[in-house]
Amino acid sequence: MIDPYTLIGTQAPAPLQRWMFEQSWRSHDYANGIPYPTHAFHGAQWPKNKGPQPTPIPVLANILTSGSNFLFRGGPPAFSVPSEENAKLADADAWLQGMIKANRLGELWHSLAHACGNQGALAAKFSVDMNDAHRPVRICFLDVPQECRVWFDPHDTQRMIFARIQYPYRDPATGDWYYYREEWTDDHYATYEPLRAAGRDEAEFAYALPHYKETLGDGVGWNLRDLEDNPFGLIPITLIRNRRVKGNPLGEGDLWGWFKLVDRLALTLHDSDRWNQKNAEPNVAIVNAKMEDPDPIIPGEPIEVWNEDPKKEADVKLLEASGAAREWVSWYAEKMEKFAWEKAGYSYIDLAQIANKGAWTKLAFEVTYGLTIATTDRKRELWGNSGLCVFFRTILQGLANLGGVPELSGVDEATEVSAEWPPYFSPTDEDRQSVTSRTVEQIQSGVLTLDRGTERIARIEGMPAHEIPTLLKELKAEREAMERDADAAESKPAEAPEDGEKADDAITLSATRGEP
């Protein structure tokens, strides 16, 4: 049994801390177009006489952007506290919606998913300031492991037993660099005196701090300031994983382990670009003659040549470079880019091949993006039920343990938070027309009731679910009113017509019978 208290102030690194840092930093370089560092090309791989190093290409950036867009395609999930079995939880649900809105989380989802694809995992943390009437609960998201390190029970990797928040910051008054640290267990909360990291002129960015890459600020020199009881009774941190991999309780990035594939693509395009630049202008060939001016030819400059042998015809030719290999180089580059997308778990879509293929249905979109949907379904589980739902439930339980929030009086350990994600694709006009026609036929044949058919059509047309019962009631009331009017018309006695009206009726009747 591991006692989390013994981890407070530990100098041992968190599990996989170094590996996570190296992979996420490398992913950050590739995603942000930072010129290739030594881990990509060193002197032995890329000697100086080979020319400039390859230009970074935005393959990983495109993958991350596409993946984060698709994760929240249709909008973010709707979080709620189910209150069917406990009416008090309706207040907790309203409080949760207000807390999400106050923290403006809707602005962050896309950037957080993008960052998580690089980092492999993010740590969601909450803090409380009851003096802030607008935002008493503050939510932040920290990079793992650069800003937050977590320890799990080695015998139960689902159970977090210790968390350390530690990151460098710059003092706004002096410009000097310091490290901040706080630590959490379910029972204790520890804070430390800031640890000086560097002077204001020693580093411009946190990554340039002395020994930061090796230690992330860990080591000796930390002085414990306070050790208190944890007021929440739980660790106020939840891990949100980008991908769940067996053997790694933390998570992994979208393209970790496959950066050399991006290198190979960059090299291929780099060589193709060098070829293009070298052969952008045609080469001048002097046949059976010599140039009057031996200096390099300027584009548009007249060329004068003289012929040493009058028996041979002098000529000047412009030779265009050609080569059948160029077509295969392009094919090879596209193949490697497709490998990168598919290794990341996303569909490689060539819009030119699917354009102008007729009317598209929702099913056609789902088949085309099948690999992306399969990957995103797994990510939605990690972000939703295993991530943010757990985090929001932790907030509710922590605040209920803290007390002072009457809206959370009904929260207990059985309280859950659910997430409902929007569909990836909405029905197209083809889908709506097909469903409507089939529904009408089924109602007319008697295999489907009018109410069920109406509900199906309302859903396919995009009517909100909470408005459908009102629609059904209105249609039912309208049908009942029409039936009452019809019954009243049948039971009403016919009035005796006037004499003039009788004559007109008789004439009309005779005319319809063909009588004179």
Side-chain angles (χ1 to χ4, degrees):
M1 185 68 179
I2 305 298
D3 183 3
Y5 180 79
T6 61
L7 294 173
I8 294 177
T10 180
Q11 296 185 23
L16 299 175
Q17 171 179 317
R18 184 65 193 175
W19 179 77
M20 288 281 291
F21 173 68
E22 291 176 349
Q23 292 294 319
S24 60
W25 193 344
R26 184 173 299 185
S27 183
H28 180 274
D29 284 345
Y30 280 82
N32 291 280
I34 297 174
Y36 276 105
T38 56
H39 61 63
F41 296 104
H42 52 73
Q45 291 178 291
W46 199 262
K48 292 183 178 180
N49 60 7
K50 198 173 183 179
Q53 292 181 352
T55 302
I57 54 178
V59 172
L60 181 54
N62 292 341
I63 290 174
L64 293 173
T65 300
S66 178
S68 55
N69 284 340
F70 213 89
L71 178 62
F72 294 105
R73 183 178 177 85
F79 297 99
S80 62
V81 181
S83 57
E84 292 81 4
E85 299 180 0
N86 186 349
K88 290 184 178 181
L89 292 180
D91 294 335
D93 181 65
W95 184 90
L96 175 65
Q97 306 308 323
M99 186 267 298
I100 292 175
K101 183 177 180 180
N103 281 275
R104 302 168 65 174
L105 297 184
E107 303 174 5
L108 303 177
W109 296 135
H110 181 274
S111 62
L112 290 174
H114 194 283
C116 201
N118 270 329
Q119 291 294 140
L122 295 176
K125 177 185 180 293
F126 74 89
S127 58
V128 177
D129 181 4
M130 289 301 184
N131 294 323
D132 188 343
H134 173 67
R135 192 164 63 107
V137 176
R138 301 174 182 176
I139 294 175
C140 65
F141 295 87
L142 306 171
D143 292 341
V144 176
Q146 288 90 327
E147 297 172 324
C148 180
R149 272 84 96 181
V150 294
W151 281 253
F152 289 91
D153 187 334
H155 309 295
D156 181 5
T157 56
Q158 299 285 345
R159 177 174 170 256
M160 183 188 302
I161 60 175
F162 179 68
R164 170 181 290 167
I165 296 173
Q166 180 175 297
Y167 52 82
Y169 71 96
R170 202 165 195 173
D171 185 275
T174 65
D176 293 339
W177 287 91
Y178 292 87
Y179 285 108
Y180 172 84
R181 176 188 281 190
E182 66 180 57
E183 295 173 337
W184 294 86
T185 70
D186 286 337
D187 300 320
H188 299 92
Y189 167 49
T191 57
Y192 290 77
E193 297 292 343
L195 179 65
R196 191 175 188 277
R200 64 181 181 181
D201 298 326
E202 294 182 61
E204 187 65 26
F205 303 100
Y207 281 9
L209 291 173
H211 310 296
Y212 176 75
K213 299 178 184 178
E214 293 78 22
T215 67
L216 298 182
D218 289 341
V220 299
W222 287 98
N223 295 316
L224 183 67
R225 180 169 58 190
D226 290 306
L227 181 61
E228 307 171 2
D229 292 337
N230 186 343
F232 306 121
L234 47 78
I235 299 175
I237 295 169
T238 300
L239 203 63
I240 299 177
R241 302 169 178 85
N242 180 66
R243 295 170 189 263
R244 190 66 186 264
V245 181
K246 188 178 185 301
N248 180 359
L250 299 179
E252 294 189 5
D254 278 346
L255 210 60
W256 287 9
W258 290 89
F259 298 119
K260 289 301 179 184
L261 179 61
V262 180
D263 291 342
R264 177 54 55 184
L265 177 57
L267 284 170
T268 302
L269 296 178
H270 173 75
D271 289 338
S272 180
D273 179 61
R274 292 180 63 199
W275 194 96
N276 291 337
Q277 294 184 42
K278 180 179 178 181
N279 299 286
E281 298 290 339
N283 295 315
V284 179
I286 309 300
V287 182
N288 299 324
K290 292 183 178 181
M291 294 180 58
E292 291 285 353
D293 185 0
D295 294 333
I297 300 173
I298 301 174
E301 176 187 8
I303 301 175
E304 295 183 4
V305 299
W306 58 277
N307 190 351
E308 292 181 332
D309 187 354
K311 295 180 180 180
K312 296 181 180 180
E313 182 180 357
D315 195 6
V316 178
K317 295 183 178 181
L318 299 178
L319 303 180
E320 297 282 355
S322 63
R326 288 179 54 76
E327 177 182 351
W328 296 106
V329 169
S330 299
W331 174 87
Y332 179 65
E334 183 178 353
K335 197 75 172 177
M336 285 189 293
E337 185 174 4
K338 183 179 180 181
F339 284 155
W341 278 79
E342 292 180 347
K343 178 59 185 71
Y346 296 112
S347 306
Y348 183 74
I349 307 297
D350 186 352
L351 296 179
Q353 295 182 0
I354 65 175
N356 301 320
K357 298 296 184 181
W360 278 67
T361 64
K362 181 181 179 182
L363 178 60
F365 280 112
E366 292 174 345
V367 171
T368 302
Y369 288 87
L371 182 58
T372 298
I373 291 175
T375 298
T376 309
D377 280 345
R378 292 190 289 271
K379 284 195 173 188
R380 285 188 168 185
E381 178 67 22
L382 293 173
W383 275 82
N385 293 334
S386 301
L388 291 169
C389 289
V390 175
F391 178 58
F392 291 146
R393 185 175 72 241
T394 300
I395 294 177
L396 296 178
Q397 293 177 348
L399 269 291
N401 294 339
L402 181 66
V405 184
E407 295 90 341
L408 305 183
S409 60
V411 173
D412 55 27
E413 293 184 355
T415 301
E416 295 290 339
V417 175
S418 63
E420 182 177 354
W421 292 86
Y424 298 112
F425 298 101
S426 300
T428 65
D429 290 339
E430 293 290 324
D431 295 314
R432 286 189 284 268
Q433 182 178 354
S434 175
V435 170
T436 300
S437 299
R438 185 174 71 252
T439 302
V440 170
E441 293 176 359
Q442 291 174 343
I443 293 175
Q444 292 175 345
S445 63
V447 299
L448 186 69
T449 64
L450 183 58
D451 284 350
R452 288 186 177 273
T454 302
E455 181 177 355
R456 180 194 293 174
I457 294 175
R459 290 184 181 278
I460 198 70
E461 290 293 338
M463 176 175 285
H466 66 275
E467 294 184 7
I468 294 178
T470 303
L471 172 65
L472 295 177
K473 291 179 181 179
E474 291 175 351
L475 293 177
K476 181 179 180 180
E478 184 175 346
R479 290 197 304 270
E480 291 174 350
M482 294 175 62
E483 291 174 358
R484 288 194 299 269
D485 293 343
D487 293 341
E490 291 179 0
S491 61
K492 184 178 180 180
E495 297 181 359
E498 299 293 336
D499 293 340
E501 293 178 352
K502 287 182 179 180
D504 292 340
D505 291 343
I507 294 173
T508 302
L509 182 60
S510 299
T512 57
R513 292 178 177 177
E515 298 177 359

